[in-house]
Amino acid sequence: MRIRLFLALLCAALLCGCAPRETENVPELILRYADNQPEDYPTTLAAQYFAELVERETDGRIRIRVFADGELGDEISVYRQVQFGGIDFARISVGALGEFLPESDVLQLPYLFTDAEHMWRVLDGEIGDEFLNKIQTTGVYGLSWFDAGARNIYTRAPVRTLEDLSGMTIRVQESDLMSRMVELWGATPVQIPYSGVYSALQTGKIDGAENNWPSYEASGHFTVAPYYLLDRHFRLPEIQFVGAIALEKVRSVDETCVDVILRCAKESARYERELWREREAASEELIRSHGCTVTELSAAEQEKFRNAVQPLYDECGPEMQALIERIRNG
Ligand code: GCU
């Protein structure tokens, strides 16, 4: 008797439409997005926002799953996977881009931008668009630029001057230009992917690294390397991109969906820049209240850091020199 009642209730539930509602929500395309920062970090929150916008604007036809914390791999490997269609979208630091687009090394030159406004004038203008377009030659489409503030040096032992850095081992991203910068400062560079930096600092394999306030805080590096030297050597933007293969998949759902992706990416970048400002202030406050030693460089000392890396500029070929000139006037 009970079984019959159960079956009758089940049929009633199906007839009143429970099952069809579920299938209505099934997307036509599910895409993957990689970020190596934690879920509550500005870039990852912006990625999540991007995914929500796309799902809403395509009426649920396209769903994007965001994988945070480097779950899909380090930046260099993620870029390759996007090229080959294993991952669809990603956000990486421009520090990793030079491996694929050597011209973008110019954006890795220390002390290139005078301040944030200067960087945004350049990236939101012609030069920024030229880079987003050039990236197409590597099999991915540049969508937008994300903020990543200014980067500073941090160490396990106190550092107050350029001389203090001498002989120290400093981690850099997988970039030869960055290695050379550290050498010019008189230290020894080591290229390690971001995910390996915490343990390298903790075990003393390296003496220091460099990054912006939010990364220094979110990664926990401030707990093992508590001396933060504000030399602001880089203003290294980050780039959000989609694979050419992924874009074809989007196009096969509907041509108009491609525009949706481009528009929502720009919108998510605006959101990231807002989040960035808030997080930068919050991270600084947390780090200072934790008791880290934060050192501001005197103008004379700052000049020493800057002069030491001048050979990086002098060694550039004529094309790069011309681009530097355009950026400086930007
Ligand atoms: C920043 C950036 C990361 C990058 C890291 C690094 O934290 O947001 O994407 O991997 O720098 O120094 O490698």
Side-chain angles (χ1 to χ4, degrees):
M1 183 60 198
R2 268 199 212 137
I3 292 180
R4 254 188 260 149
L5 182 63
F6 171 74
L7 288 174
L9 287 173
L10 184 65
C11 288
L14 290 173
L15 284 174
C16 80
C18 298
R21 237 194 339 260
E22 265 173 35
T23 49
E24 266 168 30
N25 286 337
V26 173
E28 287 169 49
L29 190 60
I30 299 182
L31 300 169
R32 305 200 307 161
Y33 186 127
D35 195 298
N36 69 352
Q37 296 289 5
E39 273 175 8
D40 66 347
Y41 197 84
T43 57
T44 323
L45 289 171
Q48 198 49 55
Y49 181 58
F50 170 63
E52 283 160 23
L53 288 177
V54 171
E55 185 154 353
R56 193 184 328 134
E57 295 213 11
T58 60
D59 293 324
R61 296 173 77 190
I62 300 182
R63 179 171 299 164
I64 299 171
R65 289 190 59 199
V66 178
F67 293 82
D69 266 326
E71 200 186 330
L72 299 185
D74 289 320
E75 295 190 321
I76 302 274
S77 136
V78 159
Y79 200 98
R80 293 210 172 97
Q81 293 182 70
V82 173
Q83 286 177 309
F84 295 114
I87 298 175
D88 304 293
F89 297 90
R91 186 285 314 162
I92 63 162
S93 162
V94 157
L97 189 62
E99 171 82 9
F100 304 94
L101 188 75
E103 298 103 292
S104 71
D105 273 359
V106 73
L107 298 173
Q108 292 181 30
L109 282 168
Y111 313 108
L112 176 69
F113 298 111
T114 45
D115 52 23
E117 286 68 38
H118 179 205
M119 182 184 82
W120 288 120
R121 270 200 310 280
V122 171
L123 294 180
D124 289 337
E126 234 176 49
I127 301 179
D129 287 348
E130 278 168 25
F131 273 117
L132 291 182
N133 289 333
K134 266 192 206 145
I135 290 164
Q136 286 184 29
T137 57
T138 72
V140 313
Y141 282 76
L143 293 171
S144 68
W145 301 104
F146 279 13
D147 202 354
R151 291 171 76 116
N152 304 297
I153 300 164
Y154 48 89
T155 44
R156 284 159 47 97
V159 171
R160 307 191 64 82
T161 63
L162 183 59
E163 286 71 38
D164 291 341
L165 264 188
S166 171
M168 284 193 169
T169 303
I170 304 292
R171 176 269 172 175
V172 289
Q173 289 175 263
E174 287 144 295
S175 151
D176 293 341
L177 189 144
M178 291 186 188
S179 287
R180 177 100 176 92
M181 170 184 78
V182 166
E183 275 165 10
L184 290 166
W185 282 337
T188 307
V190 186
Q191 298 184 6
I192 304 176
Y194 191 46
S195 57
V197 182
Y198 183 89
S199 72
L201 282 169
Q202 197 185 32
T203 57
K205 182 180 167 203
I206 55 174
D207 300 306
E210 52 76 52
N211 218 318
N212 51 49
W213 287 103
S215 296
Y216 181 44
E217 176 255 307
S219 60
H221 295 175
F222 73 101
T223 61
V224 278
Y227 298 93
Y228 200 47
L229 188 69
L230 301 181
D231 75 307
R232 303 182 182 87
H233 54 279
F234 286 143
R235 214 163 252 292
L236 210 56
E238 315 208 322
I239 184 165
Q240 186 192 41
F241 56 94
V242 56
I245 296 174
L247 213 52
E248 278 319 302
K249 288 194 244 171
V250 168
R251 184 166 283 121
S252 68
V253 170
D254 191 329
E255 185 68 40
T256 61
C257 292
V258 172
D259 288 338
V260 170
I261 296 286
L262 303 181
R263 204 161 8 90
C264 296
K266 295 282 181 219
E267 189 54 40
S268 71
R270 274 190 284 277
Y271 183 55
E272 193 272 347
R273 292 188 205 177
E274 270 172 41
L275 294 177
W276 183 263
R277 270 194 296 277
E278 289 162 20
R279 181 61 180 256
E280 205 173 36
S283 295
E284 175 171 353
E285 199 182 318
L286 191 148
I287 286 160
R288 287 187 188 272
S289 67
H290 187 262
C292 289
T293 304
V294 178
T295 304
E296 196 57 81
L297 288 175
S298 67
E301 198 58 40
Q302 177 80 54
E303 207 46 28
K304 281 206 260 164
F305 274 81
R306 192 185 284 268
N307 289 342
V309 298
Q310 182 56 36
L312 285 177
Y313 285 86
D314 302 339
E315 287 160 11
C316 292
E319 253 180 59
M320 190 97 133
Q321 297 281 5
L323 189 51
I324 293 170
E325 194 57 25
R326 279 179 70 206
I327 292 177
R328 288 232 153 120
N329 297 327

